[in-house]
Structure formats: C-alpha cells, structure tokens
Amino acid sequence: MKDRLRALYCDHLSIMRGKMLPNHKIGDDSTRFCRSTFGVHYDRDLLNAPGAMTYQGLPDMELKWRHDDIRQGWDPHTQIVLGDLYDDAGEPLGLCPRGALKRAVAAWEAHGLRPKVGIELEAFALQADENGRLEPYDTPGAVVYGTGPFADPLRFNDRIWEMAEELGFSLDMITAEYDAPQFEYTLTFDDAVKAVDDIVLFRLMAREIALEYGIILTFMPKPIAEAGGSGMHINFSFIDESGGNALSSGPKGGPEHMNDLARGCLAGLLHHHKGLAGLIAPSANSYMRLQPGSLSGFWRNWGGDHRNVTTRISSEGGAKARLEHRTADASANPYTAVAAVLHAARLGVETGYALPPIETGDGFEKTDAKEGTATDLRGAMDALEKDTVLAGAVGADLVANHVFMKRKEVQKTRDLEGEALRDFYVYFI
C-alpha cells in the first residue's frame, strides 16, 4: 500500500492521540479532532473541564503540521508527524501543551537565549502471567548499569535501539537502572521543541515495540510499591547569540563556577518548587515516588554532583554545562513539564529571587532543606493554584484544565491501592 500518515498530539494526560490518514495528507496539512478530548480522563470519563467545551457542543479543534516535520515511522508504510492545536477560529489553542513549550522557548529567545534540553526517562518492564495479571519482567542477574541478556533476556531493548537508529533518534544511552526490571533511556541534547518531540515519539515507539515482546513498558512514577521510582529528569542549558553555552563560565562546572544566569535559574526553580510539582509530577502515583531520601526531587534544594538534591549542577563545564531538574516524572506531559521548568527558571532570572544556600546534607540521614513538594496530588494542586505567577507564565487555560482534571483524579484514585492504583495508569503511561 502507499505510505499513510500517523498524525499525533500529546494530550493533557500525556497520552498520544491521533489519526491514521491517507497518503495525500503527507505535506503541509491538518486534520480535526473533538476539542472535548481535553475533558476525557484515563477511565474514559468525559468531564466538563475548563476549555474542553464539553457542554458547548463538543466542537472541533484542528491539528496542523508542516511537511518538514514529517518523519518515517516504525510501522511499515507509515510516516509520522506531531502538530500544533488550534481552535475553531484558527487561533492557537491555549490547552495545547506543545504550544505552551513554544511560548516558553520564545520567552527565553526574547533574552537572546535558545534553550537546549536533554531528557532522561526511566521505565519498568512488566509482563502478564498465565492468569493475565501483570508482574515484573523476569530479569535474573540484573544489576544497576546492567547490559545484555541478564538485564534483558528477551532483548527487546536491542530492537528499540535498532529502530531508534534507523529512524534517526540520537540515543545517548540505554541501561538497566537500580531496581530490576527498570531501564533508563536518554536522548542527546537538542533544541527544546525538537528534544521533546523526539522524546514523546521515542517513548511511544519503545512502548509499542516492547508490547510486541509481551512487555508492558511503563514510565509511570512508581508501578512497583517495593521498588524505587521512575523519573523524567530535565537537563537544560542555553545557546547565546555567539553560539556558546550561556550557562558556562569556563571549562569547569559545578557550584563554584556558576555564573549569574545559572544562579537566577536555580533561584526560580526553588522559589516555584511546590507549584511546579503540580505540573511536572501530576498523578496520585507521583507522590509514592516523591519521598525524602528517594533521589526523587522531593526537597526544595540544590547542589553539585549530588543525586539527592532536586536541582543538580553538572560538574562539566564549557559546552556541556547544564542544570538537571529531577522532580518530574512521565505522568506529566513532557511539553508541559519542560515549559514549566523553563518558565520557573526564567522567572528567577527576571525577578531576582534570592538563592538559598547549597544543600550540605547527604539526603538520607541529614538534609538542610526543610520544605519539600506536597505529599499528595490534592496538595500539589493547591500549591499550583497558589502559584499564580507560574500558572500565568505556563498558560492560564492549560493550568485551569489541568487542575480540574487532576482534582477529579484525586477522587477517582482515593480508594485505590496496590495493583488497582497501578492498573488505573499502567496502560497509558
């Protein structure tokens, strides 16, 4: 058959939605979806969420894409594209997460700086037993930084690597993580929108390939109560007008070599820490991961080469100088999460927030920081609503929809525990 087009967008729940379209759509084009998709929850409950227009006739929204953004997909005879959402008047849709990231990038570009982003994803592999019940993928001999058949007996990660290379994804690493059967996937730094486009497509590809092997590859924050959590670490830097790394003050990195831009970004991330969590760790399951002493980005703190702080200053300088924010998980829409982190950092630079002292504790038995994220999703939504500055920067429409849907999620998950809570999310994240 002729090549078809798979046109996609990443929604408010970080679910990829789209259509298979005929060959003549491969070019600058568009297609329509029901706007009230932004009122649909994980359990397919259709809600009258802000902006979804569920009670106003469930009107259309339009997904538009450019020919230059179309790429080869991983299914035969299928090309794939991500687009931007517009309302029925042809204006950018305020609920569109990709549009929110583009606004965040433009706000930095107004300062003469171009954000560069690298995302680290962690995931657990699950498989069904003879009764159809999900259990951890059997990986005898798996260790942290494990590679090869002891870490992945079915070798589904080899197929993911092979396909990523074939499709032009720039893989930096695949390795086994601390808790078997957990894996880390990292793509190399790129311009912010390109980097997030790549990560959402890579994540979808990895999940679909794993499914061919009978594996449910889930990026949810804590699918196995007895194991550690999975994060979505957001690394970022900026290219200045001369082409240099604006976070660099020379060949050496680390806290002792930070410049004013890095300090401002840090101050913004710490100032907006609690509100930010509501956007970048936005599921009930997120707060099983976000705990003290869990290397998860719980505390309002920062440090150098220290995995038990929330914002980590790379010890690399020069072109590799960067900040790493460690609170986010992949229940967040990656476009929204990166936009929120970039906005919080920018607000720190523009507003001149004070930067608290560096964390000196080990993060296990001693921590200087006294304030963390909220301890549950309800508290996270309260904190996000209170942070009107951050919410206004990310987008009032998007945040209003987000808070409404997540408060409904609090109600939907309040009586769920263990496997029931896991299964509310696991097939979608």
Side-chain angles (χ1 to χ4, degrees):
M1 69 179 185
K2 293 182 179 179
D3 275 6
R4 57 187 176 173
L5 182 66
R6 189 179 185 184
L8 299 168
Y9 66 95
C10 189
D11 78 355
H12 54 301
L13 300 175
S14 198
I15 294 173
M16 301 300 292
R17 301 189 188 268
K19 293 179 179 178
M20 292 293 193
L21 298 169
N23 180 268
H24 67 80
K25 286 286 191 178
I26 299 175
D28 292 345
D29 215 321
S30 66
T31 192
R32 289 178 174 263
F33 294 87
C34 176
R35 177 166 169 167
S36 301
T37 304
F38 280 95
V40 177
H41 224 301
Y42 291 113
D43 58 0
R44 297 175 179 83
D45 192 9
L46 178 59
L47 302 168
N48 189 30
M53 300 185 73
T54 306
Y55 288 4
Q56 288 79 46
L58 295 87
D60 278 350
M61 60 184 178
E62 190 169 21
L63 183 73
K64 297 182 181 181
W65 60 85
R66 301 181 308 157
H67 176 271
D68 290 350
D69 290 335
I70 297 172
R71 60 176 88 187
Q72 184 60 45
W74 47 94
D75 291 323
H77 304 290
T78 304
Q79 297 185 44
I80 199 163
V81 71
L82 293 158
D84 296 316
L85 292 167
Y86 293 80
D87 64 21
D88 56 1
E91 296 298 319
L93 186 69
L95 303 179
C96 178
R98 194 169 186 251
L101 178 56
K102 288 185 173 183
R103 292 193 299 272
V105 169
W108 274 107
E109 288 177 339
H111 290 276
L113 298 172
R114 179 162 49 95
K116 305 284 282 189
V117 170
I119 294 177
E120 304 169 44
L121 283 173
E122 295 167 331
F124 276 91
L126 308 175
Q127 58 189 165
D129 65 15
E130 62 275 9
N131 298 313
R133 178 181 172 183
L134 289 180
E135 60 183 10
Y137 172 40
D138 188 17
T139 54
V143 296
V144 64
Y145 301 126
T147 58
F150 282 103
D152 179 11
L154 294 178
R155 307 307 290 265
F156 73 87
N157 280 301
D158 288 357
R159 179 60 181 153
I160 290 170
W161 186 289
E162 179 184 7
M163 184 59 72
E165 190 172 76
E166 184 177 324
L167 300 180
F169 289 111
S170 187
L171 266 173
D172 191 63
M173 178 185 67
I174 296 178
T175 189
E177 256 291 352
Y178 188 84
D179 287 285
Q182 188 183 29
F183 301 95
E184 180 176 336
Y185 304 91
T186 304
L187 303 187
T188 56
F189 259 68
D190 213 324
D191 290 339
V193 176
K194 172 66 161 55
V196 181
D197 282 349
D198 282 355
I199 209 72
V200 299
L201 288 178
F202 176 85
R203 182 183 64 176
L204 179 63
M205 178 200 74
R207 280 172 57 81
E208 292 184 353
I209 287 176
L211 189 61
E212 295 177 7
Y213 289 77
I215 297 295
I216 301 297
L217 188 66
T218 179
F219 294 85
M220 66 182 288
K222 198 171 174 80
I224 302 173
E226 301 78 19
S230 290
M232 182 173 70
H233 299 169
I234 299 171
N235 297 267
F236 66 96
S237 62
F238 305 94
I239 300 300
D240 61 24
E241 292 171 341
S242 70
N245 186 338
L247 285 181
S248 172
S249 59
K252 293 184 178 180
E256 63 274 18
H257 299 288
M258 286 195 303
N259 59 22
D260 289 342
L261 176 62
R263 291 180 178 277
C265 289
L266 277 173
L269 291 167
L270 269 68
H271 183 88
H272 294 285
H273 179 67
K274 295 196 78 165
L276 185 60
L279 288 167
I280 68 177
S283 69
N285 187 249
S286 298
Y287 296 87
M288 295 176 66
R289 168 183 172 263
L290 282 176
Q291 298 288 327
S294 61
L295 287 76
S296 65
F298 172 81
W299 291 113
R300 181 178 174 267
N301 63 0
W302 66 279
D305 192 5
H306 190 329
R307 284 179 170 81
N308 235 338
V309 298
T310 290
T311 306
R312 185 181 176 205
I313 317 306
S314 173
S315 59
E316 295 183 290
K320 294 186 176 181
R322 63 191 182 277
L323 303 179
E324 178 189 359
H325 197 264
R326 298 170 59 83
T327 302
D329 65 63
S331 67
N333 180 299
Y335 295 104
T336 302
V338 173
V341 166
L342 290 178
H343 277 305
R346 176 183 57 81
L347 289 167
V349 171
E350 294 177 351
T351 310
Y353 301 135
L355 178 63
I358 190 171
E359 176 64 62
T360 65
D362 55 47
F364 292 111
E365 296 181 350
K366 178 182 180 296
T367 304
D368 298 333
K370 304 304 179 188
E371 184 178 20
T373 67
T375 57
D376 57 24
L377 183 58
R378 182 190 300 275
M381 290 306 104
D382 291 344
L384 175 57
E385 272 202 321
K386 289 177 183 176
D387 195 340
T388 56
V389 174
L390 179 63
V394 173
D397 292 344
L398 187 154
V399 173
N401 176 275
H402 178 86
V403 170
F404 177 92
M405 295 298 283
K406 293 301 170 177
R407 287 205 165 124
K408 292 294 184 182
E409 191 170 320
V410 169
Q411 298 172 12
K412 290 174 180 293
T413 59
R414 64 188 173 190
D415 296 325
L416 300 180
E417 296 179 351
E419 292 180 4
L421 180 62
R422 180 200 65 192
D423 291 350
F424 183 79
Y425 296 107
V426 73
Y427 295 104
F428 306 107
I429 299 173

mmCIF file of all heavy atoms in Angstrom, residues 382-422:
data_model
loop_
_atom_site.group_PDB
_atom_site.id
_atom_site.type_symbol
_atom_site.label_atom_id
_atom_site.label_comp_id
_atom_site.label_asym_id
_atom_site.label_seq_id
_atom_site.Cartn_x
_atom_site.Cartn_y
_atom_site.Cartn_z
ATOM 1 N N ASP A 382 -3.319 22.308 45.146
ATOM 2 C CA ASP A 382 -3.475 23.516 45.961
ATOM 3 C C ASP A 382 -2.263 24.431 45.793
ATOM 4 O O ASP A 382 -2.400 25.651 45.635
ATOM 5 C CB ASP A 382 -3.641 23.139 47.434
ATOM 6 C CG ASP A 382 -4.967 22.449 47.731
ATOM 7 O OD1 ASP A 382 -5.885 22.527 46.882
ATOM 8 O OD2 ASP A 382 -5.067 21.817 48.798
ATOM 9 N N ALA A 383 -1.065 23.837 45.816
ATOM 10 C CA ALA A 383 0.152 24.625 45.668
ATOM 11 C C ALA A 383 0.250 25.260 44.283
ATOM 12 O O ALA A 383 0.684 26.413 44.141
ATOM 13 C CB ALA A 383 1.375 23.744 45.933
ATOM 14 N N LEU A 384 -0.166 24.527 43.261
ATOM 15 C CA LEU A 384 -0.127 25.068 41.905
ATOM 16 C C LEU A 384 -1.092 26.241 41.769
ATOM 17 O O LEU A 384 -0.742 27.271 41.175
ATOM 18 C CB LEU A 384 -0.466 23.971 40.896
ATOM 19 C CG LEU A 384 -0.591 24.391 39.430
ATOM 20 C CD1 LEU A 384 0.680 25.068 38.936
ATOM 21 C CD2 LEU A 384 -0.938 23.182 38.564
ATOM 22 N N GLU A 385 -2.292 26.106 42.306
ATOM 23 C CA GLU A 385 -3.254 27.207 42.230
ATOM 24 C C GLU A 385 -2.755 28.451 42.950
ATOM 25 O O GLU A 385 -3.010 29.577 42.511
ATOM 26 C CB GLU A 385 -4.600 26.779 42.813
ATOM 27 C CG GLU A 385 -5.518 26.134 41.801
ATOM 28 C CD GLU A 385 -6.968 26.185 42.207
ATOM 29 O OE1 GLU A 385 -7.252 26.013 43.406
ATOM 30 O OE2 GLU A 385 -7.819 26.379 41.317
ATOM 31 N N LYS A 386 -2.033 28.270 44.047
ATOM 32 C CA LYS A 386 -1.494 29.414 44.794
ATOM 33 C C LYS A 386 -0.372 30.108 44.025
ATOM 34 O O LYS A 386 -0.143 31.314 44.207
ATOM 35 C CB LYS A 386 -0.989 28.956 46.159
ATOM 36 C CG LYS A 386 -2.093 28.570 47.134
ATOM 37 C CD LYS A 386 -1.509 28.062 48.434
ATOM 38 C CE LYS A 386 -2.604 27.607 49.392
ATOM 39 N NZ LYS A 386 -2.048 27.020 50.642
ATOM 40 N N ASP A 387 0.329 29.366 43.186
ATOM 41 C CA ASP A 387 1.450 29.946 42.434
ATOM 42 C C ASP A 387 0.914 30.568 41.152
ATOM 43 O O ASP A 387 1.106 30.053 40.043
ATOM 44 C CB ASP A 387 2.506 28.883 42.138
ATOM 45 C CG ASP A 387 3.839 29.487 41.695
ATOM 46 O OD1 ASP A 387 3.843 30.657 41.250
ATOM 47 O OD2 ASP A 387 4.863 28.794 41.805
ATOM 48 N N THR A 388 0.245 31.693 41.287
ATOM 49 C CA THR A 388 -0.400 32.328 40.139
ATOM 50 C C THR A 388 0.612 32.862 39.134
ATOM 51 O O THR A 388 0.302 32.959 37.946
ATOM 52 C CB THR A 388 -1.314 33.463 40.610
ATOM 53 O OG1 THR A 388 -0.549 34.399 41.401
ATOM 54 C CG2 THR A 388 -2.458 32.916 41.465
ATOM 55 N N VAL A 389 1.794 33.201 39.588
ATOM 56 C CA VAL A 389 2.822 33.709 38.672
ATOM 57 C C VAL A 389 3.264 32.608 37.711
ATOM 58 O O VAL A 389 3.312 32.795 36.490
ATOM 59 C CB VAL A 389 4.019 34.276 39.454
ATOM 60 C CG1 VAL A 389 5.155 34.661 38.507
ATOM 61 C CG2 VAL A 389 3.590 35.491 40.274
ATOM 62 N N LEU A 390 3.577 31.450 38.253
ATOM 63 C CA LEU A 390 3.986 30.332 37.399
ATOM 64 C C LEU A 390 2.840 29.890 36.506
ATOM 65 O O LEU A 390 3.029 29.647 35.306
ATOM 66 C CB LEU A 390 4.465 29.161 38.258
ATOM 67 C CG LEU A 390 4.907 27.914 37.478
ATOM 68 C CD1 LEU A 390 6.111 28.207 36.605
ATOM 69 C CD2 LEU A 390 5.207 26.755 38.436
ATOM 70 N N ALA A 391 1.633 29.788 37.075
ATOM 71 C CA ALA A 391 0.479 29.366 36.281
ATOM 72 C C ALA A 391 0.227 30.334 35.134
ATOM 73 O O ALA A 391 -0.065 29.913 34.002
ATOM 74 C CB ALA A 391 -0.758 29.265 37.174
ATOM 75 N N GLY A 392 0.352 31.621 35.388
ATOM 76 C CA GLY A 392 0.161 32.603 34.332
ATOM 77 C C GLY A 392 1.211 32.495 33.245
ATOM 78 O O GLY A 392 0.922 32.691 32.062
ATOM 79 N N ALA A 393 2.446 32.165 33.639
ATOM 80 C CA ALA A 393 3.515 32.018 32.646
ATOM 81 C C ALA A 393 3.285 30.794 31.769
ATOM 82 O O ALA A 393 3.435 30.856 30.543
ATOM 83 C CB ALA A 393 4.869 31.919 33.351
ATOM 84 N N VAL A 394 2.910 29.679 32.371
ATOM 85 C CA VAL A 394 2.695 28.453 31.603
ATOM 86 C C VAL A 394 1.465 28.580 30.716
ATOM 87 O O VAL A 394 1.452 28.111 29.573
ATOM 88 C CB VAL A 394 2.566 27.240 32.550
ATOM 89 C CG1 VAL A 394 2.169 25.982 31.785
ATOM 90 C CG2 VAL A 394 3.882 27.017 33.295
ATOM 91 N N GLY A 395 0.422 29.222 31.222
ATOM 92 C CA GLY A 395 -0.806 29.430 30.446
ATOM 93 C C GLY A 395 -2.023 29.194 31.319
ATOM 94 O O GLY A 395 -2.233 28.066 31.806
ATOM 95 N N ALA A 396 -2.816 30.231 31.526
ATOM 96 C CA ALA A 396 -3.955 30.132 32.448
ATOM 97 C C ALA A 396 -4.951 29.068 32.007
ATOM 98 O O ALA A 396 -5.488 28.326 32.837
ATOM 99 C CB ALA A 396 -4.636 31.498 32.566
ATOM 100 N N ASP A 397 -5.222 28.975 30.711
ATOM 101 C CA ASP A 397 -6.194 27.994 30.225
ATOM 102 C C ASP A 397 -5.708 26.572 30.470
ATOM 103 O O ASP A 397 -6.459 25.707 30.940
ATOM 104 C CB ASP A 397 -6.465 28.199 28.734
ATOM 105 C CG ASP A 397 -7.193 29.489 28.429
ATOM 106 O OD1 ASP A 397 -7.768 30.086 29.366
ATOM 107 O OD2 ASP A 397 -7.195 29.908 27.258
ATOM 108 N N LEU A 398 -4.454 26.323 30.134
ATOM 109 C CA LEU A 398 -3.889 24.988 30.303
ATOM 110 C C LEU A 398 -3.900 24.594 31.776
ATOM 111 O O LEU A 398 -4.284 23.468 32.128
ATOM 112 C CB LEU A 398 -2.474 24.944 29.733
ATOM 113 C CG LEU A 398 -1.764 23.587 29.676
ATOM 114 C CD1 LEU A 398 -0.713 23.585 28.566
ATOM 115 C CD2 LEU A 398 -1.095 23.223 30.992
ATOM 116 N N VAL A 399 -3.490 25.511 32.651
ATOM 117 C CA VAL A 399 -3.402 25.185 34.075
ATOM 118 C C VAL A 399 -4.796 24.976 34.672
ATOM 119 O O VAL A 399 -4.996 24.070 35.489
ATOM 120 C CB VAL A 399 -2.613 26.266 34.834
ATOM 121 C CG1 VAL A 399 -2.676 26.027 36.343
ATOM 122 C CG2 VAL A 399 -1.154 26.270 34.371
ATOM 123 N N ALA A 400 -5.778 25.775 34.271
ATOM 124 C CA ALA A 400 -7.138 25.592 34.787
ATOM 125 C C ALA A 400 -7.681 24.221 34.412
ATOM 126 O O ALA A 400 -8.296 23.533 35.244
ATOM 127 C CB ALA A 400 -8.050 26.688 34.255
ATOM 128 N N ASN A 401 -7.469 23.806 33.170
ATOM 129 C CA ASN A 401 -7.892 22.473 32.736
ATOM 130 C C ASN A 401 -7.164 21.403 33.535
ATOM 131 O O ASN A 401 -7.762 20.423 33.995
ATOM 132 C CB ASN A 401 -7.623 22.320 31.236
ATOM 133 C CG ASN A 401 -7.944 20.934 30.715
ATOM 134 O OD1 ASN A 401 -7.115 20.025 30.794
ATOM 135 N ND2 ASN A 401 -9.140 20.757 30.167
ATOM 136 N N HIS A 402 -5.863 21.585 33.701
ATOM 137 C CA HIS A 402 -5.021 20.623 34.412
ATOM 138 C C HIS A 402 -5.494 20.446 35.853
ATOM 139 O O HIS A 402 -5.667 19.310 36.324
ATOM 140 C CB HIS A 402 -3.570 21.126 34.373
ATOM 141 C CG HIS A 402 -2.590 20.270 35.094
ATOM 142 N ND1 HIS A 402 -1.978 19.186 34.528
ATOM 143 C CD2 HIS A 402 -2.103 20.340 36.365
ATOM 144 C CE1 HIS A 402 -1.154 18.620 35.400
ATOM 145 N NE2 HIS A 402 -1.213 19.310 36.525
ATOM 146 N N VAL A 403 -5.703 21.550 36.556
ATOM 147 C CA VAL A 403 -6.108 21.470 37.960
ATOM 148 C C VAL A 403 -7.458 20.778 38.094
ATOM 149 O O VAL A 403 -7.659 19.918 38.970
ATOM 150 C CB VAL A 403 -6.137 22.884 38.587
ATOM 151 C CG1 VAL A 403 -6.802 22.846 39.969
ATOM 152 C CG2 VAL A 403 -4.724 23.445 38.703
ATOM 153 N N PHE A 404 -8.394 21.116 37.214
ATOM 154 C CA PHE A 404 -9.718 20.467 37.255
ATOM 155 C C PHE A 404 -9.585 18.960 37.068
ATOM 156 O O PHE A 404 -10.150 18.173 37.840
ATOM 157 C CB PHE A 404 -10.609 21.065 36.163
ATOM 158 C CG PHE A 404 -11.963 20.419 36.062
ATOM 159 C CD1 PHE A 404 -13.037 20.925 36.771
ATOM 160 C CD2 PHE A 404 -12.171 19.298 35.266
ATOM 161 C CE1 PHE A 404 -14.291 20.319 36.692
ATOM 162 C CE2 PHE A 404 -13.413 18.689 35.178
ATOM 163 C CZ PHE A 404 -14.477 19.212 35.892
ATOM 164 N N MET A 405 -8.868 18.544 36.045
ATOM 165 C CA MET A 405 -8.750 17.118 35.748
ATOM 166 C C MET A 405 -8.019 16.370 36.858
ATOM 167 O O MET A 405 -8.366 15.230 37.203
ATOM 168 C CB MET A 405 -8.043 16.921 34.418
ATOM 169 C CG MET A 405 -8.803 17.448 33.211
ATOM 170 S SD MET A 405 -10.393 16.623 32.946
ATOM 171 C CE MET A 405 -9.860 15.078 32.227
ATOM 172 N N LYS A 406 -7.032 17.008 37.441
ATOM 173 C CA LYS A 406 -6.262 16.340 38.489
ATOM 174 C C LYS A 406 -7.040 16.276 39.797
ATOM 175 O O LYS A 406 -6.866 15.326 40.575
ATOM 176 C CB LYS A 406 -4.908 17.026 38.659
ATOM 177 C CG LYS A 406 -3.995 16.862 37.449
ATOM 178 C CD LYS A 406 -3.735 15.392 37.155
ATOM 179 C CE LYS A 406 -3.037 15.132 35.846
ATOM 180 N NZ LYS A 406 -2.737 13.708 35.628
ATOM 181 N N ARG A 407 -7.891 17.248 40.062
ATOM 182 C CA ARG A 407 -8.747 17.137 41.241
ATOM 183 C C ARG A 407 -9.765 16.004 41.069
ATOM 184 O O ARG A 407 -10.107 15.307 42.029
ATOM 185 C CB ARG A 407 -9.425 18.480 41.511
ATOM 186 C CG ARG A 407 -8.435 19.506 42.077
ATOM 187 C CD ARG A 407 -9.110 20.570 42.895
ATOM 188 N NE ARG A 407 -8.120 21.283 43.685
ATOM 189 C CZ ARG A 407 -7.928 22.590 43.657
ATOM 190 N NH1 ARG A 407 -8.677 23.353 42.877
ATOM 191 N NH2 ARG A 407 -7.009 23.152 44.414
ATOM 192 N N LYS A 408 -10.222 15.810 39.854
ATOM 193 C CA LYS A 408 -11.067 14.649 39.587
ATOM 194 C C LYS A 408 -10.277 13.359 39.776
ATOM 195 O O LYS A 408 -10.799 12.343 40.258
ATOM 196 C CB LYS A 408 -11.632 14.716 38.169
ATOM 197 C CG LYS A 408 -12.633 15.831 37.944
ATOM 198 C CD LYS A 408 -13.904 15.626 38.744
ATOM 199 C CE LYS A 408 -14.933 16.690 38.429
ATOM 200 N NZ LYS A 408 -16.179 16.532 39.234
ATOM 201 N N GLU A 409 -9.006 13.390 39.416
ATOM 202 C CA GLU A 409 -8.150 12.210 39.575
ATOM 203 C C GLU A 409 -7.969 11.864 41.044
ATOM 204 O O GLU A 409 -7.900 10.678 41.404
ATOM 205 C CB GLU A 409 -6.804 12.475 38.904
ATOM 206 C CG GLU A 409 -5.917 11.276 38.747
ATOM 207 C CD GLU A 409 -4.720 11.579 37.866
ATOM 208 O OE1 GLU A 409 -4.875 12.290 36.843
ATOM 209 O OE2 GLU A 409 -3.617 11.117 38.208
ATOM 210 N N VAL A 410 -7.882 12.884 41.896
ATOM 211 C CA VAL A 410 -7.806 12.636 43.345
ATOM 212 C C VAL A 410 -9.017 11.816 43.790
ATOM 213 O O VAL A 410 -8.879 10.826 44.523
ATOM 214 C CB VAL A 410 -7.740 13.971 44.113
ATOM 215 C CG1 VAL A 410 -7.922 13.739 45.612
ATOM 216 C CG2 VAL A 410 -6.418 14.682 43.851
ATOM 217 N N GLN A 411 -10.200 12.196 43.331
ATOM 218 C CA GLN A 411 -11.418 11.481 43.698
ATOM 219 C C GLN A 411 -11.429 10.061 43.122
ATOM 220 O O GLN A 411 -11.826 9.103 43.792
ATOM 221 C CB GLN A 411 -12.643 12.246 43.203
ATOM 222 C CG GLN A 411 -12.791 13.629 43.818
ATOM 223 C CD GLN A 411 -13.901 14.436 43.161
ATOM 224 O OE1 GLN A 411 -14.714 13.912 42.406
ATOM 225 N NE2 GLN A 411 -13.932 15.729 43.437
ATOM 226 N N LYS A 412 -10.982 9.933 41.880
ATOM 227 C CA LYS A 412 -11.031 8.635 41.211
ATOM 228 C C LYS A 412 -10.065 7.623 41.823
ATOM 229 O O LYS A 412 -10.290 6.409 41.733
ATOM 230 C CB LYS A 412 -10.716 8.814 39.724
ATOM 231 C CG LYS A 412 -11.809 9.534 38.935
ATOM 232 C CD LYS A 412 -11.354 9.807 37.496
ATOM 233 C CE LYS A 412 -12.426 10.527 36.703
ATOM 234 N NZ LYS A 412 -13.620 9.671 36.494
ATOM 235 N N THR A 413 -8.984 8.097 42.413
ATOM 236 C CA THR A 413 -7.940 7.190 42.905
ATOM 237 C C THR A 413 -7.912 7.057 44.425
ATOM 238 O O THR A 413 -7.121 6.273 44.946
ATOM 239 C CB THR A 413 -6.549 7.662 42.430
ATOM 240 O OG1 THR A 413 -6.310 9.001 42.905
ATOM 241 C CG2 THR A 413 -6.455 7.648 40.914
ATOM 242 N N ARG A 414 -8.762 7.791 45.135
ATOM 243 C CA ARG A 414 -8.624 7.843 46.593
ATOM 244 C C ARG A 414 -8.836 6.497 47.273
ATOM 245 O O ARG A 414 -8.276 6.252 48.355
ATOM 246 C CB ARG A 414 -9.581 8.883 47.173
ATOM 247 C CG ARG A 414 -11.055 8.585 46.984
ATOM 248 C CD ARG A 414 -11.918 9.747 47.422
ATOM 249 N NE ARG A 414 -13.326 9.519 47.084
ATOM 250 C CZ ARG A 414 -14.255 10.462 47.185
ATOM 251 N NH1 ARG A 414 -13.920 11.671 47.601
ATOM 252 N NH2 ARG A 414 -15.506 10.186 46.868
ATOM 253 N N ASP A 415 -9.623 5.612 46.671
ATOM 254 C CA ASP A 415 -9.871 4.302 47.277
ATOM 255 C C ASP A 415 -9.062 3.184 46.621
ATOM 256 O O ASP A 415 -9.281 1.999 46.924
ATOM 257 C CB ASP A 415 -11.365 3.960 47.195
ATOM 258 C CG ASP A 415 -12.224 4.927 47.999
ATOM 259 O OD1 ASP A 415 -11.761 5.384 49.061
ATOM 260 O OD2 ASP A 415 -13.343 5.242 47.547
ATOM 261 N N LEU A 416 -8.147 3.557 45.708
ATOM 262 C CA LEU A 416 -7.352 2.553 45.003
ATOM 263 C C LEU A 416 -6.011 2.346 45.703
ATOM 264 O O LEU A 416 -5.349 3.309 46.087
ATOM 265 C CB LEU A 416 -7.114 2.987 43.554
ATOM 266 C CG LEU A 416 -8.356 3.210 42.687
ATOM 267 C CD1 LEU A 416 -7.943 3.634 41.282
ATOM 268 C CD2 LEU A 416 -9.231 1.962 42.637
ATOM 269 N N GLU A 417 -5.614 1.115 45.813
ATOM 270 C CA GLU A 417 -4.323 0.782 46.404
ATOM 271 C C GLU A 417 -3.657 -0.309 45.586
ATOM 272 O O GLU A 417 -4.313 -1.036 44.836
ATOM 273 C CB GLU A 417 -4.501 0.292 47.853
ATOM 274 C CG GLU A 417 -5.066 1.332 48.798
ATOM 275 C CD GLU A 417 -5.249 0.782 50.208
ATOM 276 O OE1 GLU A 417 -5.087 -0.456 50.382
ATOM 277 O OE2 GLU A 417 -5.562 1.572 51.116
ATOM 278 N N GLY A 418 -2.357 -0.436 45.729
ATOM 279 C CA GLY A 418 -1.612 -1.536 45.131
ATOM 280 C C GLY A 418 -1.840 -1.684 43.640
ATOM 281 O O GLY A 418 -1.722 -0.720 42.880
ATOM 282 N N GLU A 419 -2.182 -2.896 43.225
ATOM 283 C CA GLU A 419 -2.341 -3.176 41.804
ATOM 284 C C GLU A 419 -3.493 -2.393 41.187
ATOM 285 O O GLU A 419 -3.445 -2.027 40.009
ATOM 286 C CB GLU A 419 -2.551 -4.672 41.583
ATOM 287 C CG GLU A 419 -1.320 -5.503 41.897
ATOM 288 C CD GLU A 419 -1.546 -6.980 41.674
ATOM 289 O OE1 GLU A 419 -2.646 -7.353 41.208
ATOM 290 O OE2 GLU A 419 -0.616 -7.763 41.964
ATOM 291 N N ALA A 420 -4.535 -2.105 41.959
ATOM 292 C CA ALA A 420 -5.663 -1.347 41.429
ATOM 293 C C ALA A 420 -5.230 0.071 41.057
ATOM 294 O O ALA A 420 -5.618 0.596 40.002
ATOM 295 C CB ALA A 420 -6.803 -1.310 42.446
ATOM 296 N N LEU A 421 -4.406 0.704 41.891
ATOM 297 C CA LEU A 421 -3.898 2.034 41.562
ATOM 298 C C LEU A 421 -2.950 1.953 40.374
ATOM 299 O O LEU A 421 -3.026 2.771 39.455
ATOM 300 C CB LEU A 421 -3.185 2.648 42.768
ATOM 301 C CG LEU A 421 -2.603 4.044 42.542
ATOM 302 C CD1 LEU A 421 -3.710 5.052 42.213
ATOM 303 C CD2 LEU A 421 -1.814 4.503 43.761
ATOM 304 N N ARG A 422 -2.077 0.948 40.385
ATOM 305 C CA ARG A 422 -1.162 0.774 39.249
ATOM 306 C C ARG A 422 -1.937 0.613 37.951
ATOM 307 O O ARG A 422 -1.620 1.262 36.936
ATOM 308 C CB ARG A 422 -0.293 -0.458 39.478
ATOM 309 C CG ARG A 422 0.704 -0.753 38.368
ATOM 310 C CD ARG A 422 1.166 -2.189 38.416
ATOM 311 N NE ARG A 422 0.077 -3.131 38.134
ATOM 312 C CZ ARG A 422 0.143 -4.443 38.341
ATOM 313 N NH1 ARG A 422 1.233 -4.980 38.861
ATOM 314 N NH2 ARG A 422 -0.884 -5.216 38.051
#
